[in-house]
Amino acid sequence: MDFKNLISHCKEYGFIFPSSEIYDGLSATYDYGPLGVELKNNIKQYWWKSMVQMHANIVGLDAAIFMHPKTWKASGHVDAFNDPMIDNKDSKKRYRADQLIEGYAEKIEAKIMKDVTKAAKKFGDDFDEKQFRDTNGRIIERQKKIDYAINTMNQHLKDENMEALGALINELEIACPESGSREWTEVRQFNLMFSTQLGAIAGEEGKIYLRPETAQGIFVNFLNVQKSTRQKLPFGIAQIGKAFRNEIVARQFIFRMREFEQMEMQFFVKPGEEMKWYDYWKQTRLDWHKALGTPAENLRYHDHDNLAHYANAAVDIEFKFPFGFRELEGIHSRTDFDLKAHQDLSGKKLQYFDPAINENFVPYVVETSIGCDRMFLSQVGQTLQEETVPDADGKESTRTVMKLHPAIAPVKAAVLPLLKNKEELVKASKDVFKKLSAHVLCQYDEKDAIGRRYRRQDAIGTPYSITIDFDTLEDNTVTIRDRDTLEQKRIKIDDVAKVVSDKCNVNNIL
Ligand code: ATP
């Protein structure tokens, strides 16, 4: 389904609303509606269970959003959490300089892909893409342009040379996507942290920040957690919570928001063992995505060329969003940077005592960090579709269906009396609803013909529909309809709760 339709579907069915919409909304902030909050909670539950419940050596934390301002000095965010910003003088539109250059490279890559697709068609089974890319003159030239743009950009970003970055945009003749104009301002660094005032203290002294990542709440609590739980290395601390970034451009629905939610886990290891654990988490996190049914071709790794100030290795798990492959999750080997920095600035030791070697040291950290909202978008994006299915009378009709994994679907089952004006059917249905709602979130619906009701449930991703008909009154059985196969089976009323709970249980994929 195209992206615009996906956004309106999310609004129409109560998944996501623009924030403060009656005041025309607030850019890059969104509210999760009745079904959105369920889906989001289910995603969080899947993550939490797989991290905390399934690992004896990972424990949870819920740290405050506000932290002592020195936290952000130590972490490097005050000085270095910047994005390069540039304005177009004609359209007055603001851009991230690095994204303009990446957009330039993506356009060239799209041209290459066109040639590749054409050639693949022409040569059929004999086609070897790598050989074609390595030998075709036009592709080699284009690839050179991409490499030059990206490598030069990375170098300038590393050197923090904003002037050179601006010059590169001019050299590549990049035009404003809105106006086509090449009249650019200079590139400036823009700090992404939101600040506010604490209590009644005015000025710089009372200035505090809204956390731009949840990780620092974990680092400053490292010893509290280690001592209170008596964990031994390696062990992890997991946290789900809001983070805030004053993003320069945020135009892709919930992909890039200014207030969003992260699910982060910091894994503390012995220095020297970090690459082993980095590889472990890289694989484990990819498997987590696949277990939910995300096809391998929608996921890929992307190694960072441009490492953050704290990292010695970093990889993104990218997902094929409606607008292309983009970061969904990051796995970062953060060394001992954060703990050491907090130790230095606070003057408090943040070390681990290893009885085996009778020594204190600052552990190394491997982090997994995923945006809950991006995860939400990835699931809705890949499962929301229009398809042709046979109707009750054997004809074909199209339906909109969200084929979410039953474990994360917001509503697990719909309870539907065949007719609403037959008192016995309504009563029996309400009984089923009452019993089932003690186990899973379900909906009771009696309005409209049964086919229309099925369609409404398909559109919100409900995996099972339970229909109560005249046979029910005779033999205490109901039909259960499967959203994806459309198969209908009769089962006993007494088995409904167990069947639905079993099929929708997140344990099936843990
Ligand atoms: P990007 O390069 O897309 O800006 P990032 O590299 O800054 O992302 P990280 O700092 O690694 O992102 O944050 C970890 C995760 O948090 C990301 O993988 C992403 O899922 C999520 N995330 C980051 N920024 C946003 C945002 N503005 N809106 C929604 N999710 C976000």
Side-chain angles (χ1 to χ4, degrees), residues 28 77 81 83 96 98-99 192 212-213 243-247 249-250 253-264 304 310 316-317 321 326-332 334 367-375:
H77 284 81
F81 195 54
D83 273 342
R96 250 171 73 178
D98 54 333
Q99 287 179 347
L192 301 184
E213 61 176 25
F244 304 82
R245 295 182 188 179
N246 201 0
E247 299 279 0
V249 266
F253 193 37
I254 57 168
F255 177 82
R256 192 174 297 286
M257 301 200 284
R258 300 208 164 94
E259 172 181 342
F260 57 100
E261 209 159 0
Q262 289 186 316
M263 307 191 282
E264 297 198 299
H304 284 211
Y310 49 74
D316 292 338
I317 294 179
F321 285 100
R326 294 283 187 286
E327 171 174 349
L328 169 60
E329 171 159 10
I331 292 115
H332 310 126
R334 288 179 83 129
E367 156 186 271
T368 72
S369 173
I370 175 170
C372 190
D373 314 273
R374 284 191 193 176
M375 186 61 198

Side-chain angles (χ1 to χ4, degrees), residues 314-327:
V315 66
D316 292 338
I317 294 179
E318 292 188 337
F319 174 82
K320 196 175 181 189
F321 285 100
F323 34 84
F325 271 102
R326 294 283 187 286
E327 171 174 349

Side-chain angles (χ1 to χ4, degrees), residues 484-501:
D484 300 342
T485 62
L486 302 176
E487 204 187 335
Q488 302 201 16
K489 273 193 201 149
R490 284 207 87 83
I491 59 171
K492 288 195 204 126
I493 281 196
D494 287 345
D495 293 341
V496 170
K498 185 169 174 5
V499 169
V500 175
S501 314

